[in-house]
């Protein structure tokens, strides 16, 4: 397996920020994944990098990208067993082609199944964790385990999953709602600043309050540090105007937090600083 040195992480994150990875690989199969996991030293797993902010200094270890090694998708009655590297959009569309639904709420979320299962991705009042029957993980020691839903301790944008997700079994149901899929995608286009690099919602919603509303009320829309800017379209998005650095984003995050006095906003985006 090829291990690259100095691969720019900005090429693997949706916000287009991140310095060089000391080492970088994208295993093509489980044997190569195990080879990568046997690598001595610090490692991090990434999927599509849509919820990640890497430092400008890069990552001083091995970055393992999960895509090509986990692309299976098998429908078994009213369940689907799907590889961690499959994109959520492909999952939703493949199910829809077979007239299977239940996961329509994932339409338009740009992450991978692996990232979604770990983060408990959700939208429009639903979360993927509710649909998980089991998750197959490979531990950092190379041991394969199947974790049942009860072991995963899902909560808002969080799970107890440790190790690398390679596959998950999800509940689906007969009847895809194509209209809903289309509606969700067009609502995202209308509401989110998809024309500029971003990493999705920066802060978790401090339920029952909504982060975007609090940020807007604190007059943060349009605030800018360097090339990082609070989107005018959706206040909980920070966009990269071109040359934004991780420091710009983190300084902007601090500025927003200091202006929103009602609650202590907690980042949803995973920040990897070293
Ligand atoms: C425009 C936009 C809209 C978004 N909308 C939503 C939304 O509505 N709802 C929502 O929940 N999220 C949303 N997101 C965030 C993001 O898409 C999801 O959290 C997604 O599930 C992350 O998947 P990923 O593959 O990009 O993960 P990454 O960003 O690559 O990683 C996220 C975390 O998961 C870990 N991880 C990734 N893959 C694996 C794996 N196979 N095994 C173990 N750990 C892994 C990483 O180490 C990291 O901690 C949005 C993002 C963008 C850019």
């Amino acid at each position: 397996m090829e291990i690259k040195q100095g691969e720019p992480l900005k090429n693997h994150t949706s916000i287009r920020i991140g310095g060089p990875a000391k080492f970088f690989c994208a295993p093509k199969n489980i044997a190569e994944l195990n080879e990568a996991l046997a690598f001595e030293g610090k490692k991090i797993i990434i999927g599509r990098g849509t919820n990640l902010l890497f430092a400008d200094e890069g990552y001083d270890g091995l970055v393992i990208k999960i895509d090509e090694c986990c692309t299976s998708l098998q429908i078994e009655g009213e369940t689907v067993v799907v590889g961690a590297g499959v994109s959520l959009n492909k999952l939703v569309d493949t199910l829809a082609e077979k007239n299977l639904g239940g996961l329509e709420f994932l339409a338009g979320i740009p992450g991978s199944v692996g990232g979604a299962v770990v983060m408990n991705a959700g939208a429009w009042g639903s979360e993927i964790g509710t649909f998980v029957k089991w998750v197959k993980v490979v531990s950092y020691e190379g041991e394969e385990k199947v974790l049942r839903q009860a072991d995963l301790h899902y909560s808002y944008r969080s799970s107890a999953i440790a190790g690398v997700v390679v596959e998950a079994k999800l509940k689906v149901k007969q009847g895809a709602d194509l209209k809903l899929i289309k509606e969700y995608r067009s609502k995202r286009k209308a509401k989110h600043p998809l024309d500029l690099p971003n990493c999705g919602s920066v802060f978790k919603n401090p339920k029952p309050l909504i982060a975007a509303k609090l940020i807007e009320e604190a007059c943060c829309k349009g605030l800018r540090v360097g090339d990082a800017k609070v989107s005018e379209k959706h206040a909980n998005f920070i966009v990269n105007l071109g040359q934004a650095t991780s420091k710009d984003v983190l300084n902007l995050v601090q500025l927003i937090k200091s202006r929103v006095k009602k609650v202590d906003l907690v980042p949803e985006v995973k920040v990897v600083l070293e």
Side-chain angles (χ1 to χ4, degrees), residues 3-22:
I3 299 212
K4 294 185 186 168
Q5 291 191 34
E7 173 72 7
L9 290 168
K10 65 177 181 193
N11 294 349
H12 302 277
T13 58
S14 56
I15 194 162
R16 298 279 173 255
I17 292 177
K22 189 167 184 190

Side-chain angles (χ1 to χ4, degrees), residues 137-206:
V137 296
V138 180
S139 74
Y140 282 89
E141 292 71 41
E143 192 194 342
E144 207 171 279
K145 279 188 230 166
V146 173
L147 307 172
R148 302 273 149 198
Q149 211 226 23
D151 306 323
L152 304 174
H153 301 290
Y154 273 121
S155 59
Y156 175 52
R157 299 294 177 270
S158 156
S159 74
I161 297 175
V164 187
V165 174
V166 291
E167 205 171 68
K169 185 171 191 170
L170 308 172
K171 282 178 269 187
V172 293
K173 63 178 188 193
Q174 288 301 327
D177 193 334
L178 300 180
K179 224 175 116 197
L180 201 58
I181 293 174
K182 211 169 150 197
E183 184 187 319
Y184 287 159
R185 286 193 174 128
S186 60
K187 275 190 178 163
R188 282 177 180 277
K189 265 195 204 134
K191 286 184 169 185
H192 296 168
L194 301 182
D195 52 332
L196 287 168
N198 67 78
C199 54
S201 294
V202 173
F203 297 101
K204 292 186 183 184
N205 284 322

